[in-house]
Amino acid sequence: MSATPDAASVKRFAERRARFLDAIGPGVAVFPAAPVFIRNNDVEHSYRQDSDFHYLTGFEEPESVLVLTNRHPEHRAILFVRPRNKEREIWDGPRAGVEGAVEHFGVDAAFTLDELPEKLPDYLADVDRLHAAVGQGHPFEQTLFEALRALRGRARRGVAAPTEIVDPAKALHEMRLRKDEAEVALMRRAAELTRDAHVEAMKVAAPGRHEYEVDAEMARIFRLGGSARPAYDSIVGSGPNATILHYRANDRRMEEGDLLLIDAGCELDYYAADVTRTFPVSGSFTPPQRALYELCLRSQLAAIEAVKPGATLDDVHDAAVKVIAAGLIELGLLEGPLEKCIEEQTYRAFFMHKTSHWLGMDVHDVGAYFVRGEPRPLEPGFVLTIEPGIYVGVDADVDEKWRGIGIRIEDDVLVTEDGHRNLTEDIPKDPDEIEALMKG
Ligand code: GLY
Ligand code: MN
Ligand code: MN
């Protein structure tokens, strides 16, 4: 069964439903729970509720469907849920059932799933606009389309089916993009637990140990701290693996002289942290490693400084690029002049991704990046990552001393009224502080 949310959370979910209904105007919205995915044979992938569904309900059971309407005389929020079932509950654990859905989750009405084919057309009858995410292959689409067909079959009885299907993301993801105080508090808790794991990783990593030992230690800290799961598969890449952007095998034995790049964050109550730190496994940076590390850090600090209301993600990225490109020219990895390097994007040989993405319930969180084709200005309440990197491939056409060095530094930054607040700033990233911590 879903963990039962506390009264304050139930109130928050209800407020979100009301705000969403206000935002869409007259209409009905339907949201299915995340589908269950088979891993192999009869084993399922571990279940995580869909972020939109959770944002509006706090309800964690699969197969459920939420209907929100401002076109019904009595009901605003209706949940369709799995029925109580003594035998199934012996195998899978307790279910809320229709009584639990109303009592503990604060919806106006609840029905069992087998009532959906009959009741859904009733909720959609004579409603012009239906808000539903279609075309994503969700099994619920079939049920929804059948409900529409059933309704169209009632046309001669004077019942009209919706004539428009609108993506609910338009309204809902605008809401999710702006984090309120409670959400920021949760993200800050996720950041604290993620800090503990990264600090421990710096103590555990050593030549002769394996990347998975560090991965396991961090997962242990996440879990003991109340995190249900990491926010994404942790990247623990040592030596040349640090230059592979989506490295995930985490099985190499670390060697003297390696840098270790760790991109790992926990998910806490459905909110993600997304943090990268890079440090030398033997406790001291070599001079070339330190030169590139300090450059990456200067670039990251410049990008963080650029975060304020009105700035765009392009402004933030440009601030990072400018520092990295100038530094790479100075160190001899790139040819100048700086303007040409930026214009022709030659820096992308070493810094090939963007600096930021939205962060929230999803690690690459929802919310439009462009408004009417223009990069959208940042607003207080947005949370974004700042994560420049420098990756020199093992066969890069540069002085040998740089080859195989991979560095990324990533923090989670909240846009505030007067600038920004770095939610993950207490995770060590100053090179002297890292060396001191590893020696201590
Ligand atoms: N950890 C995924 C990312 O940094 O985007
Ligand atoms: Mn990351
Ligand atoms: Mn990221």
Side-chain angles (χ1 to χ4, degrees):
M1 186 175 87
S2 288
T4 306
D6 59 24
S9 304
V10 173
K11 188 162 164 259
R12 229 176 7 256
F13 298 131
E15 284 167 359
R16 289 171 182 169
R17 293 192 295 266
R19 266 205 293 141
F20 173 77
L21 281 172
D22 276 351
I24 63 169
V28 176
V30 291
F31 296 93
V36 172
F37 288 104
I38 295 296
R39 199 193 74 169
N40 53 306
N41 197 10
D42 58 352
V43 177
E44 295 167 359
H45 278 285
S46 59
Y47 189 74
R48 180 198 184 271
Q49 188 53 279
D50 173 79
S51 296
D52 285 344
F53 194 92
H54 196 274
Y55 182 81
L56 294 168
T57 62
F59 197 69
E60 294 187 281
E61 292 185 32
E63 298 183 64
S64 330
V65 173
L66 173 69
V67 177
L68 296 181
T69 173
N70 46 35
R71 306 290 289 152
H72 190 275
E74 292 158 47
H75 303 154
R76 289 282 167 276
I78 306 100
L79 264 179
F80 290 86
V81 300
R82 300 180 304 181
R84 301 292 309 269
N85 178 321
K86 257 207 168 105
E87 208 209 334
R88 283 318 313 168
E89 290 182 45
I90 290 171
W91 291 86
D92 299 328
R95 299 174 171 187
V98 291
E99 290 85 9
V102 173
E103 189 181 332
H104 302 304
F105 294 85
V107 291
D108 305 312
F111 303 100
T112 55
L113 277 169
D114 56 352
E115 296 178 272
L116 189 57
E118 183 201 323
K119 297 241 185 266
L120 189 55
D122 291 344
Y123 282 111
L124 299 179
D126 294 324
V127 171
D128 286 338
R129 191 174 285 181
L130 166 64
H131 297 256
V134 294
Q136 295 179 2
H138 195 294
F140 170 70
E141 277 181 19
Q142 191 66 24
T143 312
L144 183 64
F145 291 160
E146 273 160 25
L148 291 175
R149 190 151 37 134
L151 264 184
R152 288 177 193 134
R154 296 185 205 166
R156 271 177 291 156
R157 278 179 268 159
V159 179
T163 51
E164 282 179 62
I165 299 182
V166 179
D167 189 349
K170 213 172 143 191
L172 190 64
H173 294 176
E174 281 298 298
M175 289 170 56
R176 279 181 52 194
L177 180 57
R178 292 176 179 80
K179 276 75 180 171
D180 64 24
E181 239 172 76
E183 292 179 290
V184 171
L186 268 179
M187 293 187 77
R188 180 58 200 149
R189 277 181 51 219
E192 282 171 5
L193 188 53
T194 298
R195 172 201 59 209
D196 294 349
H198 276 273
V199 168
E200 192 58 28
M202 290 176 191
K203 294 180 183 158
V204 167
R209 288 210 154 144
H210 288 79
E211 294 161 352
Y212 52 71
E213 294 180 64
V214 178
D215 186 1
E217 191 57 29
M218 295 182 85
R220 188 181 75 88
I221 289 173
F222 288 164
R223 208 68 184 93
L224 288 182
S227 156
R229 56 190 85 81
Y232 51 92
D233 286 347
S234 302
I235 295 172
V236 184
S238 62
N241 291 340
T243 68
I244 302 172
L245 298 182
H246 287 168
Y247 176 71
R248 271 187 294 241
N250 299 353
D251 58 0
R252 179 176 172 276
R253 186 176 181 274
M254 295 179 273
E255 306 287 349
E256 189 76 39
D258 283 350
L259 283 183
L260 180 63
L261 182 155
I262 301 178
D263 185 345
C266 71
E267 182 180 295
L268 202 69
D269 289 348
Y270 282 81
Y271 284 81
D274 181 9
V275 174
T276 308
R277 289 293 182 266
T278 309
F279 56 90
V281 297
S282 34
S284 326
F285 290 92
T286 64
Q289 288 170 351
R290 189 178 257 265
L292 290 184
Y293 186 89
E294 287 179 348
L295 174 57
C296 189
L297 182 56
R298 279 207 310 280
S299 151
Q300 203 235 9
L301 295 174
I304 292 175
E305 267 325 294
V307 176
K308 55 175 187 250
T312 67
L313 291 191
D314 281 357
D315 297 332
V316 172
H317 183 59
D318 290 348
V321 163
K322 216 168 172 179
V323 174
I324 284 189
L328 290 176
I329 292 169
E330 201 180 305
L331 293 172
L333 285 94
L334 279 180
E335 262 184 50
L338 178 61
E339 296 68 32
K340 185 162 175 267
C341 173
I342 289 176
E343 181 163 334
E344 293 176 5
Q345 302 193 351
T346 53
Y347 61 84
R348 293 193 63 193
F350 307 106
F351 175 24
M352 57 290 277
H353 56 74
K354 286 284 193 176
T355 302
S356 304
H357 54 78
W358 306 139
L359 181 72
M361 298 184 81
D362 297 320
V363 64
H364 293 171
D365 207 27
V366 294
Y369 284 88
F370 291 83
V371 176
R372 286 178 285 280
E374 296 292 324
R376 86 184 292 166
L378 298 176
E379 293 174 36
F382 290 11
V383 178
L384 57 144
T385 64
I386 302 286
E387 49 177 311
I390 301 174
Y391 315 91
V392 189
V394 284
D395 49 8
D397 186 17
V398 293
D399 191 320
E400 198 184 351
K401 68 182 177 187
W402 307 117
R403 290 188 195 146
I405 297 180
I407 296 161
R408 179 164 63 257
I409 306 172
E410 175 174 28
D411 281 309
D412 304 342
V413 176
L414 166 73
V415 184
T416 59
E417 295 289 342
D418 52 6
H420 58 264
R421 175 179 165 208
N422 183 349
L423 301 176
T424 49
E425 73 182 342
D426 50 2
I427 307 180
K429 64 181 175 184
D430 174 83
D432 295 328
E433 192 186 342
I434 288 177
E435 288 188 344
L437 194 146
M438 294 193 67
K439 283 183 189 115

